[in-house]
Each structure stands twice: as C-alpha cells, then as structure tokens.
Amino acid sequence: MLRYTLMRLGIFAGCFLALWGLVYLEVLPRGLGDSNLLWVLVLSIVVSAPLSFVLLRKVRDEASAEVVAKVDRAKGRLAANRSQEDAL
C-alpha cells in the first residue's frame, strides 16, 4: 500500500512540475490574481487522477489483494475467538 501511495504522489509531483513549467512559459493561462499556485494544484489533481488510474492499475490490484487477505485473516481470528467458550 505504501508503494502505491508513493507512486501516486510521484505522478502528482510530475504533473505539478510539468504544469508549473507550462504556466511559467505561458502555454497555459495563469490563475487570476494571486491564485496561480491554487490553479496549478487543481489542474495537477485533475490531470494526475486519470493518469494514476490507468498507469497504476496493476499496483492498485496487488495492494487491494493484500488488504483483502488481511481482512479475511482478521475475520477468521474474530470468528475463532467468538466460538471459544469463556472459562470460569
């Protein structure tokens, strides 16, 4: 899960830097007034979300399988604990 999160942050950082460069070179419009940073952040989120959805599909599926396995083990332990009798 940590690997997926770090990869997702990396894609976001890459998009942020690329878009910041495009705004700096005036290929993309600047934000209104002092909102330039906010404009680039929002645009980076919008661009990086579909990219990470497509590019990190395999990693996301692996992380999901790990989470499902951990939940199943926890459910098994809980069921085993419920089936035990209390000793007096």
Side-chain angles (χ1 to χ4, degrees), residues 14-31:
C15 287
F16 179 80
L17 291 174
L19 291 171
W20 185 268
L22 290 174
V23 169
Y24 181 76
L25 295 173
E26 297 183 2
V27 174
L28 293 175
R30 294 186 183 269

Side-chain angles (χ1 to χ4, degrees), residues 15-82:
C15 287
F16 179 80
L17 291 174
L19 291 171
W20 185 268
L22 290 174
V23 169
Y24 181 76
L25 295 173
E26 297 183 2
V27 174
L28 293 175
R30 294 186 183 269
L32 297 174
D34 293 332
S35 67
N36 195 32
L37 179 62
L38 182 62
W39 162 251
V40 175
L41 281 172
V42 170
L43 197 56
S44 297
I45 290 170
V46 170
V47 170
S48 70
L51 280 176
S52 63
F53 181 75
V54 173
L55 296 175
L56 300 179
R57 181 173 303 201
K58 184 178 177 184
V59 178
R60 185 178 59 248
D61 290 342
E62 291 170 359
S64 174
E66 289 177 16
V67 169
V68 168
K70 287 181 183 180
V71 168
D72 288 342
R73 283 195 304 270
K75 283 182 181 180
R77 285 192 304 266
L78 183 61
N81 288 340
R82 285 184 179 170

